[in-house]
Amino acid sequence: MDRLDASTKLMIVSDLDLTMVDHDDNHNTSLLKFNALWEAYYRRDSLLVFSTGRSPTSYRKLREERPLLTPDITVMSVGTEIAYGESMVPDEEWERFLNRNWNRDLVMEETLKFPELKPQSEAEQRPHKVSFFVEKNKAPQVVNAVSERLEKRGLDVKVLYSSGIALDVLPKRAGKGEALAYLLKKFESDRKAPTNVLVCGDSGNDTDLFSVPNVYGVMVSNAQEELLQWYVDNAKDNPKVIHASERCAGGIIEAIGSFQLGPNLSPRDIIDSKGCCKVETIDPCFEVVKFYVLYERWRRGEVEKSELYLEYLKSIFPAGGIAVDANGKERSREELIDGMRGLYGDMKATPFRTWLDGLSSAQVGSNSWLLRFNKWESSSSSSRSSSSWLSGNQFLGCFTTVLMSSQSKVSEGGLMWMHVQHTWLDGSPSEPQHNTCFI
Ligand code: GLC
Ligand code: MG
């Protein structure tokens, strides 16, 4: 399929609150669609960057509440902190760079003189970010006055106003856009510049992202007034920036389509009520993502209960294959299929969801692939509708490896799952979980 062209190299740089994450949708519908799209088609050769105003602490909290993927790079505290990989290795060079002509104490001293500025919590105050709340009607005048005052004291600062409430003071060299420009420059010097960059945002601290030269940009449909106004004043003739008609992650997917940056049909949108997939391809990454979407729908009772699904399982698990669940129990193909038959609809009317993260695939033979990924399931025990999404970490995860093999005769199509092995992430769960990471 041409959509699977391995040369697709996209770098998505997205804000989180009300861009990647829709706080008005406790079901995380569009976020989960994005996740499936990313893992199926982009994870292998593209870069995911989250660029948030949140401090490391509140970013971690959001990760516990919402099904966010692990980004390749995390830019936090409004472009003042950059961290790489899953283990979040900080970019100390960037922090040193921001020190020039920055004096936090002086910023504190001067901002104290503005009674309109209400300090944000201690956790949001960072080495290169001083943050306040200020009422919307006072904001334009306060932004100007604070900038002027700090300039007079000889500081190069940037004052940003976001979401009609938050005011941040940063070094002028900081910000989401500057952090992105710094990353792009780094990639260029390593000859690893991405083919396309798409920036995504909804509020004032995202304006910087849209100022980076040559990037595509999407302001999600629910973008804040201050960003839309900035666009009208500064970028409305830029054909590379759109105001999406979809909210949040739905707007990001829409932009991928409208700028033709690669596949834009999420595996979550191609399965019909019978559990049939409207797109057929023999791509291992796509296959595994589709498999777990179908598994979720089966357990939620959202596809018809028909033998078709069990036939599908039979067709992909060979009789001699091996499946080891996260408790170390090996199951035969019959046990797997009987087990799945019994799980139909067991998660009906619950917030149960499954998603994959960090999927990688390596071809290990002429017709076999080894896939690795983290598989997450949201709380299975809860039937308290959407509230479980909001009360701390309800996710259980396992690290999974799958050895897949395509059948010798191409005409037979399909990929067989020869060996599946799950291992609990973060140690075993405190209570025995028989149905999580079972398949
Ligand atoms: C996030 C941060 C906050 C900041 C705001 C706008 O909400 O937590 O500190 O002021 O973004 O940048
Ligand atoms: Mg936002």
Side-chain angles (χ1 to χ4, degrees):
M1 209 164 72
D2 58 356
R3 297 198 298 124
L4 292 175
D5 181 358
S7 67
T8 312
K9 286 208 169 50
L10 176 62
M11 177 177 180
I12 287 194
V13 183
S14 180
D15 168 52
L16 294 176
D17 294 289
L18 289 168
T19 302
M20 192 56 90
V21 175
D22 191 345
H23 291 289
D24 288 348
D25 175 19
N26 288 331
H27 301 289
N28 298 294
T29 312
S30 60
L31 175 57
L32 289 163
K33 281 185 189 183
F34 176 84
N35 290 358
L37 180 73
W38 189 260
E39 296 297 327
Y41 300 119
Y42 292 97
R43 178 63 85 176
R44 59 191 91 177
D45 61 8
S46 294
L47 276 180
L48 183 61
V49 181
F50 288 160
S51 188
T52 177
R54 289 183 179 238
S55 63
T57 311
S58 69
Y59 167 61
R60 254 176 251 126
K61 192 162 164 278
L62 186 68
R63 292 189 63 88
E64 288 173 3
E65 295 164 354
R66 298 283 177 161
L68 285 168
L69 295 180
T70 306
D72 299 283
I73 305 174
T74 318
V75 178
M76 291 160 292
S77 312
V78 199
T80 63
E81 297 179 68
I82 300 177
Y84 301 95
E86 200 175 351
S87 44
M88 308 224 353
V89 179
D91 188 327
E92 285 161 8
E93 185 191 327
W94 176 243
E95 286 168 38
R96 275 197 300 275
F97 175 78
L98 298 184
N99 279 335
R100 211 165 81 193
N101 225 2
W102 171 248
N103 182 333
R104 201 173 193 284
D105 294 340
L106 214 56
V107 173
M108 295 298 291
E109 186 188 316
E110 289 299 333
T111 46
L112 261 177
K113 298 177 187 161
F114 290 83
E116 304 91 331
L117 294 175
K118 308 278 176 249
Q120 290 185 17
S121 71
E122 215 27 62
E124 292 309 302
Q125 313 297 344
R126 304 293 299 158
H128 299 100
K129 168 176 172 283
V130 183
S131 296
F132 303 92
F133 294 121
V134 61
E135 280 168 40
K136 202 169 171 179
N137 59 349
K138 297 187 181 141
Q141 170 251 326
V142 175
V143 167
N144 285 335
V146 171
S147 311
E148 256 172 49
R149 177 69 67 87
L150 291 168
E151 240 165 69
K152 275 202 188 118
R153 296 288 311 258
L155 291 182
D156 278 342
V157 296
K158 179 181 277 183
V159 182
L160 288 173
Y161 191 61
S162 304
S163 313
I165 180 79
L167 184 145
D168 305 306
V169 184
L170 322 169
K172 195 159 238 147
R173 333 176 105 196
K176 293 185 177 189
E178 279 70 10
L180 171 57
Y182 166 83
L183 289 171
L184 290 174
K185 207 167 149 205
K186 235 170 127 122
F187 293 149
E188 265 157 39
S189 61
D190 293 344
R191 296 179 184 277
K192 284 187 189 153
T195 314
N196 292 305
V197 180
L198 172 65
V199 303
C200 321
D202 78 298
S203 86
N205 69 11
D206 300 315
T207 52
D208 264 17
L209 285 174
F210 295 91
S211 313
V212 176
N214 300 319
V215 303
Y216 290 98
V218 54
M219 304 181 291
V220 290
S221 69
N222 50 295
Q224 297 281 335
E225 206 180 304
E226 75 262 349
L227 176 61
L228 297 174
Q229 188 58 48
W230 175 89
Y231 168 76
V232 169
D233 297 342
N234 299 279
K236 78 177 180 318
D237 300 323
N238 181 354
K240 283 184 144 188
V241 175
I242 57 164
H243 181 196
S245 53
E246 299 285 331
R247 287 179 63 81
C248 301
I252 301 176
I253 299 175
E254 179 185 337
I256 294 176
S258 87
F259 296 126
Q260 302 187 340
L261 302 176
N264 67 328
L265 196 54
S266 172
R268 285 187 172 268
D269 284 330
I270 56 175
I271 292 168
D272 65 22
S273 61
K274 291 195 165 56
C276 294
C277 179
K278 291 180 237 160
V279 176
E280 284 308 334
T281 165
I282 42 167
D283 178 81
C285 294
F286 171 82
E287 174 67 25
V288 80
V289 171
K290 177 190 87 174
F291 176 86
Y292 285 108
V293 171
L294 211 44
Y295 161 82
E296 175 194 294
R297 302 225 170 132
W298 176 261
R299 294 192 62 182
R300 286 173 60 94
E302 288 175 347
V303 288
E304 284 171 24
K305 185 174 188 183
S306 80
E307 286 298 311
L308 258 175
Y309 179 65
L310 302 168
E311 285 303 319
Y312 160 68
L313 291 183
K314 271 185 209 155
S315 76
I316 63 171
F317 288 105
I322 296 175
V324 184
D325 75 13
N327 298 318
K329 187 174 179 332
E330 193 175 315
R331 285 192 166 87
S332 69
R333 178 208 214 190
E334 278 58 46
E335 283 175 287
L336 275 186
I337 291 165
D338 283 350
M340 285 307 291
R341 187 181 277 118
L343 290 180
Y344 180 80
D346 73 323
M347 289 295 158
K348 211 170 194 153
T350 75
F352 175 74
R353 296 286 181 188
T354 306
W355 66 98
L356 306 188
D357 185 22
L359 172 57
S360 74
S361 141
Q363 184 150 12
V364 290
S366 58
N367 63 349
S368 50
W369 292 264
L370 186 61
L371 285 92
R372 301 148 189 266
F373 48 90
N374 289 342
K375 176 170 100 78
W376 291 95
E377 292 188 8
S378 61
S379 170
S380 51
S381 52
S382 168
S383 55
R384 288 172 296 141
S385 74
S386 57
S387 61
S388 78
W389 287 102
L390 303 172
S391 54
N393 196 347
Q394 302 286 329
F395 309 150
L396 263 183
C398 52
F399 169 64
T400 302
T401 54
V402 180
L403 181 65
M404 273 191 196
S405 174
S406 64
Q407 298 191 348
S408 44
K409 283 193 219 129
V410 176
S411 61
E412 286 170 18
L415 287 158
M416 305 286 276
W417 296 43
M418 313 303 290
H419 189 169
V420 186
Q421 174 119 29
H422 305 286
T423 314
W424 291 119
L425 283 168
D426 307 324
S428 308
S430 45
E431 289 166 37
Q433 300 282 333
H434 299 297
N435 295 336
T436 307
C437 293
F438 145 84
I439 202 165

